[in-house]
């Protein structure tokens, strides 16, 4: 055991072990995030046998975990390679290049898991980019912008839902149909209050 501890603390193996741990952490995080989400969404919205539901939950969890782990390996490997090619120094562009390559290879397939991950990241990236000019003191921090941002987002999504419904992402469209369209019809007190249909 002492030999293994010495081995994992060897500075010559740091880059390789960092890549392996990145894979491990990506897989663990992906499973932790996706499994409960898939479980809840399946219980609430999926039909079918228990076996088919369980397979769907495990399939989604595996894909999410595998994608985050694979991305971590590609990203960290490319960061090491670029740093070595640049005389041991990391350049500002290196994370962007590694991210583009990993993003294209791992998340380039248009499927529901990748869409959720990429859209989640996109919203966080846009919010972060808006903060950069303030952080760098290029512009003063605007006051009371969040209510305007929230209003514009909700106005746009409601307009799209009403006039360009087919362009709205399917799971968002389904939830909006449930809340805003299904609430327009009922056939009894039961379907007005207790059951949707």
């Amino acid at each position: 055991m002492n030999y293994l501890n010495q081995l994992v603390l060897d500075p010559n193996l740091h880059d390789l072990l960092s890549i392996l741990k990145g894979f491990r952490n990506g897989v663990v995080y992906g499973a932790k995030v996706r499994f409960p989400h898939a479980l809840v969404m399946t219980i609430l919205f999926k039909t079918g046998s228990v076996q088919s539901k369980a397979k769907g939950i495990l399939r989604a969890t595996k894909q999410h975990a595998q994608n985050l782990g694979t991305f971590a390996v590609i990203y960290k490997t490319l960061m090491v390679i670029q740093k070595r090619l640049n005389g041991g120094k990391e350049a500002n562009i290196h994370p962007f290049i590694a991210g583009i390559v990993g993003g294209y290879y791992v998340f380039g397939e248009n499927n529901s898991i990748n869409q959720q991950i990429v859209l989640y990241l996109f919203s966080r990236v846009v919010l972060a980019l808006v903060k950069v000019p303030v952080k760098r003191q290029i512009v003063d921090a605007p006051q009371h912008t969040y209510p305007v941002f929230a209003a514009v987002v909700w106005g746009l999504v409601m307009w799209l839902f009403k006039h360009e419904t087919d362009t709205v992402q399917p799971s968002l469209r389904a939830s909006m149909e449930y809340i805003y369209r299904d609430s327009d019809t009922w056939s009894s007190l039961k379907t007005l209050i207790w059951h949707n249909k």
Side-chain angles (χ1 to χ4, degrees):
M1 191 64 147
N2 196 24
Y3 170 74
L4 290 177
N5 276 329
Q6 287 178 337
L7 191 64
V8 300
L9 297 175
D10 183 345
N12 294 323
L13 296 176
H14 181 269
D15 289 343
L16 175 64
L17 295 176
S18 172
I19 293 165
L20 290 174
K21 187 166 183 184
F23 176 76
R24 177 247 181 233
N25 285 3
V27 168
V28 168
Y29 187 82
K32 280 181 167 181
V33 168
R34 179 56 59 176
F35 181 79
H37 176 268
L39 178 66
V40 169
M41 297 304 283
T42 298
I43 290 169
L44 292 177
F45 298 112
K46 298 285 184 185
T47 58
S49 68
V50 173
Q51 184 180 11
S52 71
K53 289 178 182 180
K55 283 182 181 178
I57 292 166
L58 294 176
R59 184 173 40 252
T61 302
K62 178 185 174 195
Q63 183 183 356
H64 197 137
Q66 187 175 350
N67 284 7
L68 290 182
T70 302
F71 180 86
V73 168
I74 293 169
Y75 174 79
K76 291 177 80 62
T77 300
L78 290 176
M79 289 297 289
V80 167
I81 291 169
Q82 290 176 105
K83 185 176 178 181
R84 288 184 181 178
L85 292 174
N86 197 40
K89 294 181 222 165
E90 183 182 305
N92 284 344
I93 194 73
H94 289 171
F96 182 72
I97 292 169
I100 283 179
V101 173
Y104 183 85
Y105 177 74
V106 177
F107 296 102
E109 181 184 336
N110 189 1
N111 60 55
S112 62
I113 302 293
N114 287 350
Q115 271 190 8
Q116 288 174 353
I117 294 168
V118 171
L119 289 173
Y120 173 86
L121 287 177
F122 178 76
S123 65
R124 288 356 185 234
V125 166
V126 169
L127 287 175
L129 287 174
V130 169
K131 294 177 183 179
V132 170
V134 173
K135 178 185 170 200
R136 294 186 179 182
Q137 299 178 337
I138 297 169
V139 298
D140 291 333
Q143 299 300 311
H144 312 296
T145 55
Y146 188 80
V148 174
F149 170 70
V152 170
V153 168
W154 276 97
L156 288 171
V157 76
M158 296 314 294
W159 185 88
L160 285 166
F161 176 67
K162 188 74 171 176
H163 299 290
E164 300 289 343
T165 307
D166 61 318
T167 66
V168 177
Q169 195 267 346
S171 65
L172 175 60
R173 184 171 60 237
S175 64
M176 294 181 79
E177 285 172 355
Y178 180 80
I179 296 169
Y180 306 110
R181 288 204 179 130
D182 290 359
S183 61
D184 288 338
T185 59
W186 57 91
S187 60
S188 66
L189 181 62
K190 180 180 176 184
T191 58
L192 175 65
I193 296 173
W194 189 250
H195 288 284
N196 184 41
K197 294 180 182 180

